[in-house]
Amino acid sequence: SYERWVAWRELLQDPEGWPQKESESQFHISPRLGVSFPITETSKMYFNYGHFYQRAPIEFLYKPSIYPAAIVVPTPDLAMGKTVQFEFGYEQVLLWDLLFNVSAYYKDISNEPLGRTFINYNHDNNITKYFPDRYRDIRGFELRLERSLGRFLTFNAMYEYQLASSGQSGLAVIYENRIEAREGELRNPNIINTEPLPRANINLNLHTPKKFGYNLLGINPLGSIYTNFFFEWRDQGRILLNPEETDIKLRNYVDVVNFWNIDFRASKTFNTGVGNLELVLTIQNLTNNKWLRTENMDQNQMTDYKNSLQTPDKGGDDKWGEYKEDYIETGWWTAPLYLNPRRYVFGFRLNL
């Protein structure tokens, strides 16, 4: 009934017996340092250092959640996450208008929120509260090549190689039952190292000057044309085919099909009496790539697909995500498996 709903809402807003106190203020100094050292007229070395702070998601701070036999307690005084970042790089101008940059970086991230759940002996009173006990280390390098000025052509290209590790201080689940607690303590990894997942992209712009080409009744049909091609590529890493295997030596990993995509955008601007009219065409997934979304398979589809792949352990070279071979089974219900169709968007904009 409505009355019961109102009572429940009031209980959530001001739960009876909850301790109340003023939240503590947080004050941080965020120093930054940037140093650049010219080597020649066309090259330089640089170093950047800084401290950065990030507030936790707002629901962690103020939103209580009540469930049958469980509750999530907000933590208004949750410490802000802290990142200490170092970057060292080298820049070189090539052929007068190309800029090449290589940089290495390291990020030390601490005080990230960890949801810690306290479970009583009978599992009928579970309390979750957030603590600043997660941390991450990120290191890598980046290569960039760009041409930011040009009459007809500009572009920028980037390649990044990154390694990351993460961990936590203490356990995420604490049991009152010491038998369960002992098992959780043995199975809980404090540090997780991820595999490197390189990525790259190219942003290519082809454009014409405003008064380029012939003039037709006061209009330059070939002028003010702008086209953009955005290409991205990502290494998708590996997947474990037998996660139930406890012996590390017997675990079977297989490579995942790498992702790549091209988006296209074109526009033409006309100078009218009331302003500039811009016509825009956007094509997402220009080459109409199809990527198999195995996470949307049901259990039977997943089993049939996994068994049909000719992975290296079976003497083949199939990767996870391949589907074009006749012997690969994806099932008859494929509607949710390919969710990135080519898409056309046409629009216009009037700048007064």
Side-chain angles (χ1 to χ4, degrees), residues 214-256:
Y214 62 93
N215 185 288
L216 179 63
L217 301 178
I219 299 176
N220 293 87
L222 301 180
S224 300
I225 295 177
Y226 179 90
T227 60
N228 172 263
F229 295 87
F230 181 75
F231 168 82
E232 59 177 328
W233 170 87
R234 294 196 300 267
D235 188 327
Q236 299 293 77
R238 302 186 300 168
I239 188 173
L240 178 61
L241 292 183
N242 53 344
E244 70 283 352
E245 180 58 60
T246 58
D247 189 345
I248 297 179
K249 297 180 180 179
L250 299 179
R251 290 182 177 177
N252 183 20
Y253 289 90
V254 62
D255 291 334
V256 180

Side-chain angles (χ1 to χ4, degrees), residues 16-304:
E16 183 178 356
W18 276 31
Q20 296 183 0
K21 67 175 184 178
E22 293 291 334
S23 59
E24 299 179 0
S25 300
Q26 298 187 42
F27 176 79
H28 300 283
I29 297 178
S30 184
R32 315 285 174 87
L33 174 65
V35 179
S36 179
F37 180 73
I39 302 175
T40 67
E41 292 182 351
T42 59
S43 63
K44 72 175 182 179
M45 301 178 68
Y46 62 90
F47 172 77
N48 294 317
Y49 168 81
H51 288 211
F52 308 90
Y53 293 90
Q54 177 64 49
R55 188 194 65 189
I58 197 71
E59 59 267 23
F60 292 3
L61 303 177
Y62 303 113
K63 180 183 178 182
S65 299
I66 300 176
Y67 308 96
I71 186 172
V72 178
V73 180
T75 312
D77 56 350
L78 185 63
M80 299 179 68
K82 178 182 178 181
T83 299
V84 180
Q85 181 172 329
F86 302 84
E87 182 186 21
F88 179 77
Y90 171 79
E91 278 190 357
Q92 174 71 56
V93 176
L94 304 174
L95 302 176
W96 300 105
D97 58 358
L98 295 179
L99 179 63
F100 171 75
N101 176 280
V102 55
S103 62
Y105 59 86
Y106 173 75
K107 299 179 182 180
D108 178 16
I109 305 173
S110 59
N111 289 350
E112 289 196 312
L114 168 67
R116 179 168 291 136
T117 302
F118 301 86
I119 302 178
N120 72 335
Y121 196 91
N122 296 319
H123 287 241
D124 59 358
N125 187 15
N126 306 329
I127 301 175
T128 299
K129 184 177 172 64
Y130 295 99
F131 296 84
D133 288 341
R134 283 193 183 276
Y135 57 86
R136 287 186 293 154
D137 290 326
I138 301 175
R139 57 271 187 200
F141 70 88
E142 182 179 283
L143 302 175
R144 286 189 286 117
L145 180 66
E146 61 181 272
R147 185 175 190 252
S148 57
L149 298 175
R151 190 183 184 196
F152 298 102
L153 170 67
T154 57
F155 73 90
N156 62 75
M158 182 275 293
Y159 173 84
E160 183 181 33
Y161 185 91
Q162 185 181 101
L163 292 169
S165 59
S166 61
Q168 62 191 48
S169 300
L171 300 172
V173 181
I174 297 178
Y175 296 93
E176 184 180 17
N177 186 331
R178 287 307 304 162
I179 297 178
E180 293 180 305
R182 179 61 177 169
E183 182 178 358
E185 292 167 1
L186 292 175
R187 293 180 177 271
N188 182 73
N190 268 355
I191 298 179
I192 299 175
N193 294 311
T194 61
E195 294 186 346
L197 298 177
R199 66 186 186 97
N201 62 61
I202 300 175
N203 198 348
L204 176 65
N205 303 306
L206 302 174
H207 41 78
T208 60
K210 182 178 180 180
K211 296 184 178 180
F212 179 74
Y214 62 93
N215 185 288
L216 179 63
L217 301 178
I219 299 176
N220 293 87
L222 301 180
S224 300
I225 295 177
Y226 179 90
T227 60
N228 172 263
F229 295 87
F230 181 75
F231 168 82
E232 59 177 328
W233 170 87
R234 294 196 300 267
D235 188 327
Q236 299 293 77
R238 302 186 300 168
I239 188 173
L240 178 61
L241 292 183
N242 53 344
E244 70 283 352
E245 180 58 60
T246 58
D247 189 345
I248 297 179
K249 297 180 180 179
L250 299 179
R251 290 182 177 177
N252 183 20
Y253 289 90
V254 62
D255 291 334
V256 180
V257 174
N258 293 333
F259 172 85
W260 67 273
N261 181 69
I262 300 177
D263 292 333
F264 172 77
R265 184 183 187 277
S267 66
K268 164 65 177 173
T269 301
F270 297 91
N271 187 8
T272 66
V274 294
N276 293 326
L277 176 65
E278 182 182 12
L279 304 181
V280 181
L281 171 65
T282 301
I283 305 177
Q284 299 175 352
N285 190 10
L286 178 65
T287 53
N288 199 25
N289 293 339
K290 291 186 178 180
W291 304 101
L292 184 63
R293 302 289 295 270
T294 57
E295 64 272 19
N296 293 335
M297 290 181 171
D298 61 33
Q299 188 60 47
N300 292 331
Q301 279 182 296
M302 180 70 73
T303 301
D304 293 341

Side-chain angles (χ1 to χ4, degrees), residues 308-344:
S308 66
L309 284 178
Q310 298 298 315
T311 50
D313 61 299
K314 301 177 184 178
D317 58 357
D318 287 346
K319 297 181 179 180
W320 187 264
E322 292 188 355
Y323 62 90
K324 295 182 180 180
E325 301 295 338
D326 294 337
Y327 57 81
I328 298 179
E329 298 183 13
T330 58
W332 66 273
W333 178 244
T334 60
L337 303 186
Y338 310 99
L339 301 179
N340 60 319
R342 181 191 289 144
R343 181 176 301 174
Y344 299 87

